[in-house]
Amino acid sequence: MGRQPEKKQLIEIAAIKLFGRPGFASTSIRDIAKEAGVTDGALYRHFKSKNEMGWDLYVREVQVFSEGLFEIIKDIDPANRHDVLRAGIEYAYTYAEIYPDQFRFILLNQNTFPESQNKDNSNLIDMVTKAVGRGTANFEEHECLSAILWGALVQPLIMIDYGLLDKKPSECIGLVVEQCSKILSV
């Protein structure tokens, strides 16, 4: 028989869920404690503040996501941008389907923490911009392409999450890869 999750793990699960929806600013310590089934005091035994908790969880979840992504694409020839793009989209969409709370938390809070603007790979938009920048000639072009690509990548997931697109993320992979390939002309 498996062990019961420890209080800290219950708190983290609750915080990620709530920071993803209704959002970081709208979530109180009391909300997290209630969702986790613990007291406010139990929460403060593990974290000094909501900000510290949010940042620690954000860094951890982005690291988990990033490590998985880099593991998937590390053996693909970077010159084969289509294969890298396909592998990245498949990974992101599968991750969003398997870990919806974690993906929503990362996606919706990438600009919540000022610290994220000073860290490498702590922001999904920055990851996409760096990846696109490797294959374009000038900075202005790559920033604009990154913004367009970001919308094409993320909007279907947002629409699925809000029930506006009646599909699973994995059902959209082929079409998203096709359209993103056109955007990048790969």
Side-chain angles (χ1 to χ4, degrees), residues 14-154:
I16 287 170
K17 179 181 176 183
L18 294 173
F19 291 161
R21 186 179 292 133
F24 186 81
S26 299
T27 301
S28 70
I29 291 292
R30 180 160 284 135
D31 295 333
I32 298 165
K34 182 179 177 183
E35 179 76 21
V38 300
T39 64
D40 294 10
L43 197 143
Y44 282 115
R45 279 192 282 285
H46 298 286
F47 298 98
K48 292 178 189 172
S49 68
K50 181 178 95 167
N51 286 343
E52 177 194 70
M53 178 191 329
W55 175 243
D56 289 352
L57 293 173
Y58 180 80
V59 168
R60 182 188 77 193
E61 294 304 320
V62 169
Q63 182 176 357
V64 168
F65 178 84
S66 300
E67 286 173 359
L69 176 62
F70 294 133
E71 185 63 30
I72 295 292
I73 64 173
K74 75 176 184 180
D75 296 325
I76 302 172
D77 179 1
N80 190 339
R81 293 177 67 199
H82 184 270
D83 287 354
V84 172
L85 179 67
R86 173 173 273 294
I89 290 171
E90 285 176 356
Y91 176 78
Y93 275 59
T94 301
Y95 191 93
E97 193 168 308
I98 295 171
Y99 306 106
D101 289 338
Q102 290 85 344
F103 191 78
R104 185 182 314 107
F105 168 64
I106 293 169
L107 186 64
L108 297 181
N109 288 287
Q110 56 195 322
N111 296 314
T112 298
F113 307 102
E115 301 93 325
S116 71
Q117 304 309 310
N118 301 321
K119 305 285 184 189
D120 288 337
N121 296 328
S122 65
N123 184 310
L124 298 181
I125 295 172
D126 289 344
M127 285 187 237
V128 169
T129 303
K130 288 175 190 174
V132 172
R134 288 187 201 114
T136 56
N138 69 51
F139 189 72
E140 290 151 10
E141 179 183 297
H142 110 269
E143 279 193 331
C144 187
L145 280 174
S146 299
I148 294 167
L149 182 64
W150 182 247
L153 286 168
V154 175

